[in-house]
């Protein structure tokens, strides 16, 4: 075995002959560079392999975690069992889903038509309130029908007729024809022309009679006794004394104020509106003409004529504020705008011929707010161009601390009431001290006598026959807004319904299938 040749040592800087050009230092540098490049590639390859291994382990870990979180395990089609009962259960599930989804849609639509109410303090007491009336008095002549308004603030309106319309009716309720009214108007015109002729003959054409302090302007003339009485009535003065002294009344032969008797044979329909203060008060149609004397409101009439004032009436309309028929018909909100519409009260001789009807009304200020609700009430979407409308007003609402918005509002009033009737005549038993009591509830036309025997007669009560509407305004108001349920709520309920139905149906089907398998297994073992 030959000896091994000694390995040539690697060149180093000490073993290199620097004097030889071929063995210079420049020939060693490329060798060192190649060694460094090979070492870098080897290290980079190892690092890349380690990074790939780390990425693979992370992905595997994520896949493992995702599989453990899977709530929907999959079953191969070959391992599933389909039964006839399962098919019927599926059909039942589809039917239940269809019915329940339809019910959810209907409920969602109904919820969007509902309203919610909030009670707030009423701050609009300084405003005035409009009262709409339409009442028929089937046995009361239009000449005997006078509307007076009073309130606790001391304001009163006597003989309100500038915004009212009186329509004369036949006893059967049909209106008088144009020819009938024209004939009576001609008679009145003839009497007036005769009076003017007598006046012209005695005092001349340039006569200007005094109004005895009741004139409104310096050049106002009161040429007739009626003119004097009207001037005094306008001033709310008592004309009973001036009639005795006025030259016009003496000339016409009117030396005392004779109250006219009740007219018979006709009815009257009263319709229109009146403006009242937003404070408690009353308006009434009572016997006689109302005047103010010594700071008191009194009615002038002949006591013997009292039984002839028939206070029977039919309320066609009574509303406080705008008349919103759509709110009443659609029943938006709680309560009614026109709770008294259609009330019919007829008195007979058994009820005492006539009497005093009293309605005690509690008025609740109500506002309907929001575009959706106002659109539902009015029938069209409100715009800012309608801000001058008497029905719709636009008010600012605070959306946030810095922003505000404008919403349409309808202000009106709802009310509820109680009623009372006091007859003019009450039956009195001399032996048992009025044991026969009269049923005083409105709308009942019979007296209960409780088996009273002996001598009894009717006694006239100290009342003023008429119809009184006594109203009181509550110090709080109700704000009504529409309820808006988002469409997303409907979708959530539908998804919950579908999932719940099929889950329960699946449970039932699985339970029945398990019981059937257990029964078969027990049968095979036997």
């Amino acid at each position: 075995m030959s000896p091994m040749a000694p390995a040539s040592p690697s060149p180093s800087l000490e073993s290199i002959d620097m004097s030889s050009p071929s063995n210079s230092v420049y020939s060693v540098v490329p060798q060192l560079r190649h060694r460094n490049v090979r070492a870098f590639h080897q290290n980079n390859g190892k690092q890349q392999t380690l990074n790939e291994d780390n990425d693979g382990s992370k992905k595997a870990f994520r896949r493992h975690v995702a599989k453990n979180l899977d709530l929907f395990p999959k079953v191969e089609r070959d391992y599933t069992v389909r039964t006839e009962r399962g098919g019927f259960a599926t059909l039942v599930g589809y039917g239940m889903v269809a019915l329940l989804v339809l019910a959810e849609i209907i409920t969602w639509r109904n919820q969007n038509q509902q309203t919610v109410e909030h009670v707030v303090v009423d701050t609009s007491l300084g405003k005035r309130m409009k009262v709409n009336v339409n009442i028929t008095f089937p046995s009361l002549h239009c000449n005997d029908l006078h509307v007076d308004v009073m309130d606790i603030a001391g304001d009163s309106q006597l003989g309100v007729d500038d915004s009212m319309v009186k329509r004369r009716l036949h006893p059967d309720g049909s209106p008088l024809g144009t020819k009938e009214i024209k004939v009576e108007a001609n008679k009145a015109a003839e009497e007036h022309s005769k009076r003017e002729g007598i006046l012209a003959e005695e005092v001349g054409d340039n006569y200007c009679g005094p109004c005895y302090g009741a004139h409104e302007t310096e050049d106002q003339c009161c040429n007739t006794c009626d003119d004097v009485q009207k001037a005094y009535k306008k001033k709310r003065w008592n004309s009973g004394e001036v009639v005795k002294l006025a030259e016009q009344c003496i000339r016409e032969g009117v030396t005392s104020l004779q109250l006219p008797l009740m007219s018979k044979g006709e009815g009257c329909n009263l319709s229109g509106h009146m403006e009242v203060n937003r404070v408690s008060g009353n308006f009434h149609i009572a016997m006689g003409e109302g005047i103010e004397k010594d700071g008191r409101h009194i009615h002038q009439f002949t006591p013997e004529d009292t039984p002839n004032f028939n206070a029977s009436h039919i309320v066609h309309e009574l509303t406080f504020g705008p008349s919103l028929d759509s709110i009443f018909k659609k029943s938006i909100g709680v309560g009614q705008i026109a709770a008294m519409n259609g009330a019919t009260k007829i008195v007979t001789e058994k009820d005492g011929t006539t009497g005093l009807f009293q309605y005690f009304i509690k008025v609740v200020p109500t506002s309907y707010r929001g575009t959706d609700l106002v659109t539902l009430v009015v029938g069209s979407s409100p715009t800012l161009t309608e801000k001058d409308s008497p029905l719709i007003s636009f008010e600012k609402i605070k959306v946030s601390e810095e922003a505000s918005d404008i919403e349409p509002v309808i202000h009106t009033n709802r009310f509820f009431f109680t009623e009372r009737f006091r007859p003019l005549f009450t039956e009195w038993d001399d032996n048992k001290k009025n044991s026969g009591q009269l049923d005083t509830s409105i709308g009942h036309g019979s007296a209960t006598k409780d088996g009273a025997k002996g001598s009894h007669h009717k006694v006239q009560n100290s009342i003023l026959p008429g119809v009184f509407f006594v109203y009181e305004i509550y110090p709080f108001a109700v704000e009504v807004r529409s309820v808006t349920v988002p469409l997303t709520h409907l979708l959530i309920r539908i998804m919950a319904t579908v999932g719940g139905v099929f889950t329960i149906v699946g449970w039932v089907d699985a339970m029945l299938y398990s019981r059937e398998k257990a029964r078969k297994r027990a049968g095979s073992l036997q």
Side-chain angles (χ1 to χ4, degrees):
M1 185 172 182
S2 60
M4 295 179 64
S8 59
S10 61
S12 61
L13 292 177
E14 290 80 2
S15 63
I16 295 176
D17 186 5
M18 302 298 294
S19 63
S20 176
S22 60
N23 294 329
S24 63
V25 68
Y26 298 103
S27 62
V28 179
V29 172
Q31 297 178 11
L32 295 176
R33 184 181 295 116
H34 288 305
R35 289 180 180 179
N36 291 335
V37 169
R38 284 196 301 270
F40 173 78
H41 284 299
Q42 291 176 357
N43 293 334
N44 192 18
K46 293 178 180 181
Q47 185 67 29
Q48 185 175 1
T49 303
L50 292 175
N51 291 338
E52 291 178 355
D53 293 339
N54 291 335
D55 294 339
S57 62
K58 290 180 180 179
K59 292 180 180 179
F61 177 74
R62 286 197 295 267
R63 287 194 296 268
H64 177 71
V65 172
K67 288 181 179 180
N68 291 335
L69 294 177
D70 186 9
L71 297 178
F72 309 100
K74 282 71 178 177
V75 181
E76 293 294 338
R77 189 177 184 86
D78 296 336
Y79 296 100
T80 58
V81 178
R82 297 180 181 273
T83 62
E84 184 179 357
R85 182 180 55 252
F88 286 117
T90 302
L91 293 177
V92 172
Y94 281 130
M96 294 177 62
V97 166
L99 291 176
L100 293 177
V101 169
L102 180 61
E104 289 292 341
I105 294 175
I106 295 175
T107 302
W108 176 73
R109 288 175 57 87
N110 293 335
Q111 287 178 344
N112 281 322
Q113 296 177 356
Q114 294 178 354
T115 58
V116 61
E117 299 184 356
H118 301 280
V119 179
V120 297
V121 177
D122 184 20
T123 59
S124 60
L125 296 179
K127 299 180 181 179
R128 294 181 66 82
M129 180 173 60
K130 182 179 180 181
V131 182
N132 304 290
V133 297
N134 187 352
I135 307 174
T136 295
F137 295 86
S139 302
L140 190 62
H141 199 282
C142 288
N143 294 338
D144 304 321
L145 198 154
H146 310 283
V147 182
D148 298 334
V149 182
M150 304 170 58
D151 59 42
I152 60 174
D155 294 340
S156 61
Q157 304 177 44
L158 303 180
V160 179
D161 54 5
D162 54 345
S163 57
M164 295 288 183
V165 176
K166 297 179 182 179
R167 191 173 187 181
R168 298 170 59 182
L169 305 175
H170 288 291
D172 60 355
S174 59
L176 266 69
T178 306
K179 294 182 179 180
E180 297 173 302
I181 298 176
K182 187 176 181 180
V183 169
E184 296 193 4
N186 291 336
K187 292 180 180 179
E190 290 178 2
E191 294 179 359
H192 181 72
S193 61
K194 290 180 180 179
R195 184 177 300 178
E196 291 291 337
I198 296 173
L199 182 64
E201 291 178 0
E202 294 186 3
V203 298
D205 296 336
N206 298 326
Y207 172 74
C208 181
C211 295
Y212 302 95
H215 56 276
E216 294 182 349
T217 59
E218 294 296 335
D219 56 348
Q220 182 178 353
C221 299
C222 296
N223 295 338
T224 65
C225 187
D226 287 341
D227 294 340
V228 175
Q229 294 182 35
K230 289 180 181 178
Y232 266 67
K233 181 180 177 181
K234 200 168 186 179
K235 289 286 186 178
R236 297 182 180 179
W237 296 348
N238 186 9
S239 59
E241 297 297 328
V242 73
V243 169
K244 301 177 183 179
L245 303 175
E247 62 179 47
Q248 298 93 327
C249 298
I250 295 174
R251 185 184 307 113
E252 296 176 10
V254 181
T255 56
S256 62
L257 184 60
Q258 298 178 354
L259 299 176
L261 298 178
M262 299 290 299
S263 302
K264 296 182 179 181
E266 287 189 12
C268 185
N269 174 259
L270 176 70
S271 62
H273 69 276
M274 65 188 82
E275 297 283 343
V276 299
N277 296 326
R278 290 184 66 88
V279 295
S280 300
N282 76 84
F283 62 92
H284 55 269
I285 299 97
M287 183 174 184
E289 189 173 354
I291 63 170
E292 286 190 357
K293 183 177 182 180
D294 299 331
R296 296 179 300 173
H297 180 80
I298 63 175
H299 283 254
Q300 295 179 328
F301 58 91
T302 303
E304 292 79 9
D305 201 27
T306 305
N308 296 323
F309 186 92
N310 193 325
S312 301
H313 60 278
I314 303 171
V315 180
H316 303 290
E317 179 187 5
L318 177 61
T319 57
F320 294 83
S323 179
L324 304 177
D325 294 335
S326 57
I327 294 180
F328 175 67
K329 292 178 181 179
K330 298 177 182 178
S331 300
I332 301 173
V334 180
Q336 294 180 346
I337 299 296
M340 201 179 293
N341 289 9
T344 302
K345 311 299 177 184
I346 306 297
V347 293
T348 62
E349 292 184 0
K350 293 183 179 181
D351 297 317
T353 305
T354 185
L356 171 63
F357 291 90
Q358 291 176 306
Y359 295 96
F360 301 96
I361 303 171
K362 308 297 183 181
V363 180
V364 181
T366 306
S367 59
Y368 295 85
R369 297 178 174 271
T371 304
D372 296 337
L373 187 56
V374 172
T375 301
L376 182 62
V377 172
V378 179
S380 60
S381 180
T383 60
L384 289 176
T385 57
E386 299 175 351
K387 62 182 179 179
D388 297 331
S389 171
L391 181 62
I392 304 175
S393 61
F394 291 85
E395 298 180 2
K396 287 186 177 181
I397 57 173
K398 189 175 182 181
V399 180
S400 62
E401 295 182 356
E402 299 179 354
S404 61
D405 196 4
I406 298 177
E407 68 173 357
V409 182
I410 297 178
H411 292 284
T412 184
N413 300 277
R414 296 185 298 198
F415 68 91
F416 55 94
F417 69 97
T418 56
E419 56 190 31
R420 180 189 182 191
F421 173 65
R422 297 177 61 190
L424 178 63
F425 293 100
T426 304
E427 291 194 1
W428 184 270
D429 193 333
D430 294 335
N431 298 327
K432 297 188 177 183
K433 294 184 179 181
N434 199 25
S435 61
Q437 296 291 335
L438 183 69
D439 187 359
T440 59
S441 60
I442 299 180
H444 294 77
S446 61
T448 59
K449 300 179 181 179
D450 299 331
K453 297 180 180 179
S455 176
H456 62 273
H457 56 276
K458 292 184 177 181
V459 177
Q460 183 171 344
N461 297 319
S462 299
I463 60 172
L464 177 64
V467 183
F468 284 72
F469 299 89
V470 184
Y471 57 88
E472 178 184 355
I473 300 178
Y474 275 10
F476 58 84
V478 177
E479 293 184 351
V480 183
R481 296 180 182 273
S482 60
V483 177
T484 303
V485 181
L487 181 61
T488 53
H489 288 201
L490 174 63
L491 297 178
I492 292 173
R493 295 180 68 90
I494 289 177
M495 288 188 291
T497 300
V498 173
V501 168
F502 281 110
T503 299
I504 294 175
V505 171
W507 288 348
V508 173
D509 181 63
M511 181 184 65
L512 295 177
Y513 180 71
S514 299
R515 291 182 61 182
E516 184 180 356
K517 286 186 63 178
R519 192 180 301 110
K520 289 181 179 180
R521 189 181 300 110
S524 62
L525 292 176
Q526 293 177 356

